[in-house]
Amino acid sequence: MPNRSTAADKIKARLDALTALRRGGLSDVSLGYLNLLGQGKSSHRGKAVRLRRTYLRHDVPRPVERERNGLPREEQPPAARLIAPRGVAGRLHLVLLFAAHCQASPGRQWPNRIPIEPDSTQPFSWMGLIGAHARHTPGGRRVASPRVNKARQITEALKKLRDQKLLEFPNEGTSRPFRDFRLLCDSGASTDAAPIPYTVPRAADPGIDVPLHFFLRGWVNLLTPSETVAYLMWLDVNQNPVHDEPYVTGVERAGHFGLGRDAYETHEPLHAFGLIDVEPALLRHEDGKYTDYGTQSGRPICHRVALTNGITRNAADSIEPVLHEFAATGRWSRPLGTRVYS
């Protein structure tokens, strides 16, 4: 279990951010996604956002010294590399991929023409499509408004995605360096010498399908980076099964997905939010240790995790009561009366 005071501080900060996002137009952000989807290609309406499998999983597992720690950041797949305690790079990248699916056909490149800040000539802006908690910054030589801070969050995220070879700036060096930035392949295989333009994956391309509700119902903006990448991992485990049952071993989680134990333990809040159902491994304690290391009846001692229809529920309404319960008890638990189905 995490330190109680530290966990309580994080939960309070998360509740404060959720309240601020709701007051700051979180519902308008989700409406923007719906409008973006409405002008999209007919082949994507009512379907999912497909991510290439190599975005979150190495085809061949990398050797790990300690599965608890996962892979070093430089060896992780792109999704895991974007996990960070601050910033919106991972969130922004998923929204970029969503927009690409809305505005380009499978197999085609996406001509991004969406500006960062609202423009009277454009129906969308990245500021309007990202739910980010941007505060007023007092003091200093200049007073930064929430609007200025949000724009800065987005440009900093774009620079991080550029550093990770996930997009490029064709107008770099000009007065508008971020204008019409271009996505690079989500596999992360681009290099400075050989950038690979992003194309919307075809159905036959190995990948995972992220439900549209992940965006439309607000989950993309309210899950933590670790929760988001772990949820993508569980999508892969269930959509591209390697075993007869939906589980991932520690070696697979670390070597394939690059994730450490901390990211894996987000199955607790994800279960409490109603996104997954967890069948706990017998003989395994909350601290990850076992009563008797080994297997039982030939079954690896791993949690079985199934997806639910909880993704169709409003994210803010699902998350807020869970956070209040954790603040009061220090435990992740699904509220009584919550009805979700695997």
Side-chain angles (χ1 to χ4, degrees):
M1 291 290 290
N3 179 278
R4 180 69 185 273
S5 61
T6 302
D9 290 342
K10 290 181 178 179
I11 293 299
K12 183 181 183 304
R14 191 169 179 181
L15 280 167
D16 291 344
L18 175 55
T19 299
L21 283 171
R22 278 184 143 167
R23 292 173 178 169
L26 184 62
S27 60
D28 292 335
V29 173
S30 294
L31 181 60
Y33 298 154
L34 190 62
N35 292 334
L36 191 61
L37 183 67
Q39 64 166 212
K41 304 297 179 179
S42 60
S43 61
H44 288 302
R45 288 177 182 166
K47 295 190 178 181
V49 173
R50 191 159 184 80
L51 307 181
R52 288 179 173 81
R53 201 178 186 197
T54 46
Y55 177 62
L56 68 146
R57 183 185 188 278
H58 291 310
D59 289 332
V60 178
R62 305 289 175 87
V64 293
E65 293 186 10
R66 298 185 65 193
E67 60 84 12
R68 173 181 292 275
N69 298 331
L71 290 173
R73 185 169 295 274
E74 65 274 10
E75 295 181 22
Q76 292 176 321
R81 291 203 306 267
L82 294 177
I83 294 176
R86 297 183 180 277
V88 296
R91 182 186 315 174
L92 176 61
H93 193 237
L94 289 174
V95 174
L96 295 179
L97 297 176
F98 169 80
H101 276 69
C102 291
Q103 296 187 330
S105 299
R108 298 279 187 167
Q109 295 183 34
W110 170 53
N112 168 45
R113 296 294 182 266
I114 299 176
I116 291 177
E117 299 193 50
D119 184 324
S120 61
T121 66
Q122 298 289 337
F124 305 105
S125 70
W126 294 119
M127 284 185 64
L129 293 171
I130 290 292
H133 180 31
R135 307 181 195 179
H136 170 85
T137 304
R141 296 172 60 184
R142 294 184 179 180
V143 177
S145 67
R147 178 189 174 104
V148 169
N149 278 336
K150 187 172 184 180
R152 184 183 297 120
Q153 281 183 306
I154 292 173
T155 55
E156 288 301 313
L158 290 173
K159 287 189 283 188
K160 181 171 183 177
L161 294 175
R162 187 269 313 273
D163 293 342
Q164 295 297 325
K165 308 297 187 291
L166 292 172
L167 56 76
E168 61 182 355
F169 300 148
N171 293 303
E172 190 167 18
T174 71
S175 61
R176 301 178 66 183
F178 304 108
R179 182 183 179 186
D180 300 340
F181 59 81
R182 288 196 292 251
L183 274 179
L184 297 178
C185 187
D186 50 339
S187 68
S190 293
T191 65
D192 290 332
I196 304 171
Y198 172 83
T199 57
V200 175
R202 302 178 188 272
D205 293 334
I208 63 166
D209 290 323
V210 182
L212 291 179
H213 290 296
F214 180 77
F215 302 91
L216 303 180
R217 304 299 281 169
W219 297 99
V220 67
N221 287 303
L222 294 181
L223 294 180
T224 68
S226 290
E227 289 167 357
T228 294
V229 177
Y231 178 69
L232 297 180
M233 178 183 73
W234 294 123
L235 285 177
D236 182 73
V237 167
N238 281 267
Q239 294 178 7
N240 301 297
V242 174
H243 308 288
D244 292 337
E245 297 177 288
Y247 67 84
V248 62
T249 67
V251 172
E252 291 167 343
R253 180 249 304 150
H256 280 293
F257 298 93
L259 299 175
R261 178 72 59 79
D262 287 349
Y264 178 79
E265 294 301 336
T266 62
H267 69 266
E268 294 185 90
L270 291 176
H271 172 81
F273 299 153
L275 293 180
I276 60 175
D277 275 336
V278 179
E279 177 191 338
L282 297 177
L283 307 180
R284 183 168 181 165
H285 303 295
E286 290 183 355
D287 62 1
K289 297 180 180 178
Y290 305 100
T291 299
D292 183 19
Y293 184 82
T295 61
Q296 179 173 343
S297 302
R299 303 176 81 217
I301 302 179
C302 304
H303 297 321
R304 271 61 177 171
V305 174
L307 303 174
T308 74
N309 67 347
I311 196 73
T312 64
R313 302 173 67 235
N314 179 276
D317 292 342
S318 301
I319 291 173
E320 187 171 21
V322 172
L323 296 182
H324 281 298
E325 178 69 16
F326 188 94
T329 66
R331 301 183 68 85
W332 295 107
S333 59
R334 189 178 293 178
L336 293 175
T338 301
R339 302 183 65 182
V340 295
Y341 303 95
S342 300

